[in-house]
Amino acid sequence: MSSTASGKTSGANGTWRNWGGNVAARPARQVAPASVEELAAAVRRAREDGLKVKAVGTGHSFTSIAATDGVLIRPQLLTGIRRIDREAMTVTVESGTPLKRLNAALAREGLSLTNMGDIMEQTVCGATSTGTHGTGRESASIAAQIKGLELVTADGSVLCCSAQENPEVFTAARTGLGALGVVTAITFAVEPLFLLTAREEPMPLERVLAEFDQLWAENEHFEFYWFPHTENTTIKRNNRSLGPERPVGRLAGWFEDEFLSNGVFQVAQWVGRAAPATVPAIARISSRALSARSYTDIPYKVFTSPRRVRFVEMEYAVPRTALVETVRELKAMVERSNLRVGFPVEVRTAPADDITLSTASGRDSAYVAVHMYRGTPYQAYFTAAERIFTAHEGRPHWGKVHTRDAEYLARVYPRFAEFTALRDRLDPDRLFQNDYLRRVLGA
């Protein structure tokens, strides 16, 4: 689950807030450059003025990764496709381009990304810099599909990197946390547009956990949602299809994706927040509300779905072999506590990749995401969940709530020192520093 609206700025006092409403910042100034040259000039001017620099996308992150009291760079004018190379099967896109615009533009060209997350409101830069991912047996995160990057570094120069050019920067900057520079363009690998068949159905949690390895092995993209206070899950299997195309009908799609998954679910969250004792009963009803269905469509219409109910989220990547034990411990924790959890727990997977600070760096991973409705106290639930995740050497999603620091992260990322050494070289004066990076990367 993820957000569908952008971070916003209040015109009255210049306060920037993220989508989840849990992070706010008051930058000294905001800049919306219309070109790479303007962005580079803004970075140089900030340096001369002694101000820190952060770029922000749609404000989807629940951490303060983009917050600054210095110069906030808004990339909404750096959008659009620069070029499509059909021989190399790549697309180069400006960093502020929303994923939804990229997906639609690629589809018109008969092309697609191989894998993507379950929403598409973020900018390409924000999504990749924080490690946004979907689920996949062999296909990895959005950042793992990057073939080249262009970024403005701390001295205001433009640096291009790929596996052949500045490869050490490329290895790290694909998920760079905004610590190495401001990304201005990304080149993604693409492939000819294909069809996916989605099969969604309820399944008891114990069966999902008992058969998890088989379900993972048999499907290109497998995920499930468990509803706390119940024994129920909804599973989703996405696999490539020869067709024919059979999209969700307009009425059925509205009823399930808008009326039930957003409208009714929103009301359920209002009730649960006002009367926490009702949450287990609501969870039992919610977990049975969606019926089994199957449909076939182009990738972004299968991978992604609208998410209009606002929430706060924590997500950790644990070794895939530890997933079943992790979920069982999470369930036991909820059952023995007084917690009332109205949001389902989302479980996805990713293969190991070679990106320095990717949550799947060097190990096959499973992702467990916990959510609470915005405005509902979440600290007790997240603290207890985090204790379970870290016991399995979990790696927190860079854009979602967590309390880990550089000391912990250096233990669970074998290449952590490699990243910080590169940061020392590219940004020795910490122009791109903020409180969040100070905590997770060290001073």
Side-chain angles (χ1 to χ4, degrees):
M1 291 185 186
S2 299
S3 67
T4 60
S6 65
K8 58 186 179 180
T9 302
S10 164
N13 60 7
T15 299
W16 173 86
R17 290 182 175 85
N18 68 336
W19 178 85
N22 65 317
V23 177
R26 293 195 65 179
R29 62 175 177 258
Q30 299 187 45
V31 182
S35 66
V36 177
E37 293 74 24
E38 285 185 19
L39 196 157
V43 168
R44 287 192 294 269
R45 184 183 164 205
R47 188 185 185 98
E48 291 164 3
D49 293 345
L51 296 173
K52 303 295 186 184
V53 176
K54 296 307 299 178
V56 65
T58 56
H60 168 63
S61 290
F62 300 96
T63 63
S64 54
I65 191 168
T68 185
D69 58 3
V71 177
L72 191 68
I73 292 178
R74 310 296 295 267
Q76 62 259 37
L77 300 180
L78 292 173
T79 62
I81 291 175
R82 283 190 186 178
R83 62 182 173 276
I84 294 173
D85 186 333
R86 292 185 181 273
E87 187 174 335
M89 288 304 284
T90 61
V91 58
T92 300
V93 60
E94 303 280 351
S95 62
T97 306
L99 283 166
K100 61 183 177 183
R101 286 178 56 187
L102 173 61
N103 288 334
L106 288 175
R108 288 194 297 270
E109 297 288 339
L111 301 169
S112 177
L113 297 173
T114 297
N115 198 359
M116 59 193 78
D118 60 2
I119 64 140
M120 52 180 179
E121 302 298 325
Q122 311 104 310
T123 61
V124 295
C125 179
T128 56
S129 294
T130 56
T132 295
H133 59 90
T135 189
R137 185 183 59 206
E138 285 104 16
S139 53
S141 70
I142 303 174
Q145 299 168 67
I146 294 176
K147 293 297 182 183
L149 277 173
E150 176 188 272
L151 68 160
V152 173
T153 57
D155 62 1
S157 62
V158 180
L159 178 70
C160 296
C161 60
S162 66
Q164 294 75 37
E165 184 181 11
N166 298 306
E168 75 289 350
V169 178
F170 178 69
T171 299
R174 283 175 288 171
T175 299
L177 319 185
L180 305 176
V182 179
V183 176
T184 50
I186 300 175
T187 298
F188 290 103
V190 292
E191 59 176 298
L193 192 65
F194 55 94
L195 292 174
L196 283 171
T197 292
R199 291 173 56 204
E200 300 171 6
E201 62 180 309
M203 185 177 286
L205 176 63
E206 271 310 311
R207 181 182 166 192
V208 174
L209 297 180
E211 300 178 11
F212 176 75
D213 288 341
Q214 180 182 350
L215 289 163
W216 169 82
E218 290 178 349
N219 295 283
E220 292 175 75
H221 310 275
F222 173 72
E223 64 186 299
F224 71 90
Y225 297 88
W226 165 59
F227 295 80
H229 311 295
T230 80
E231 304 294 328
N232 306 325
T233 77
T234 296
I235 70 167
K236 185 173 181 180
R237 294 176 265 203
N238 296 334
N239 291 286
R240 294 197 183 214
S241 171
L242 296 176
E245 197 169 320
R246 286 194 304 269
V248 176
R250 181 170 295 181
L251 180 59
W254 173 84
F255 182 73
E256 296 222 330
D257 296 329
E258 289 292 350
F259 180 70
L260 290 180
S261 295
N262 286 293
V264 173
F265 190 60
Q266 174 75 72
V267 174
Q269 296 304 311
W270 286 337
V271 173
R273 184 171 67 181
T278 65
V279 167
I282 291 171
R284 288 190 290 273
I285 296 167
S286 297
S287 67
R288 294 189 176 97
L290 298 176
S291 56
R293 65 176 180 173
S294 180
Y295 52 96
T296 302
D297 213 329
I298 60 175
Y300 82 85
K301 294 184 179 181
V302 173
F303 283 130
T304 69
S305 54
R307 301 290 185 202
R308 309 197 199 286
V309 181
R310 300 209 177 199
F311 53 84
V312 179
E313 179 178 3
M314 168 182 282
E315 181 186 77
Y316 268 74
V318 298
R320 199 185 72 237
T321 53
L323 181 277
V324 171
E325 185 180 355
T326 302
V327 173
R328 285 205 170 109
E329 290 172 5
L330 191 65
K331 181 173 185 285
M333 178 273 289
V334 171
E335 288 174 347
R336 69 174 179 261
S337 73
N338 295 318
L339 295 169
R340 295 293 177 260
V341 181
F343 254 88
V345 172
E346 182 180 29
V347 176
R348 295 174 286 175
T349 69
D353 63 41
D354 64 347
I355 303 171
T356 316
L357 291 187
S358 163
T359 45
S361 183
R363 74 182 190 195
D364 293 341
S365 299
Y367 297 92
V368 185
V370 296
H371 315 70
M372 286 292 269
Y373 181 52
R374 190 171 79 167
T376 304
Y378 62 85
Q379 287 85 354
Y381 178 37
F382 284 14
T383 298
E386 190 171 42
R387 195 173 295 124
I388 294 168
F389 300 148
T390 55
H392 292 285
E393 297 191 333
R395 298 168 177 170
H397 189 299
W398 298 108
K400 297 176 184 178
V401 175
H402 70 93
T403 66
R404 299 300 88 190
D405 60 14
E407 182 182 1
Y408 173 87
L409 296 165
R411 293 202 304 271
V412 297
Y413 281 98
R415 301 173 69 181
F416 189 84
E418 185 182 321
F419 187 96
T420 55
L422 179 65
R423 181 185 182 220
D424 287 342
R425 177 161 70 83
L426 291 180
D427 187 17
D429 299 323
R430 301 293 188 260
L431 182 70
F432 303 115
Q433 176 85 285
N434 66 1
D435 289 342
Y436 178 78
L437 292 184
R438 190 177 292 109
R439 171 162 68 88
V440 301
L441 296 178

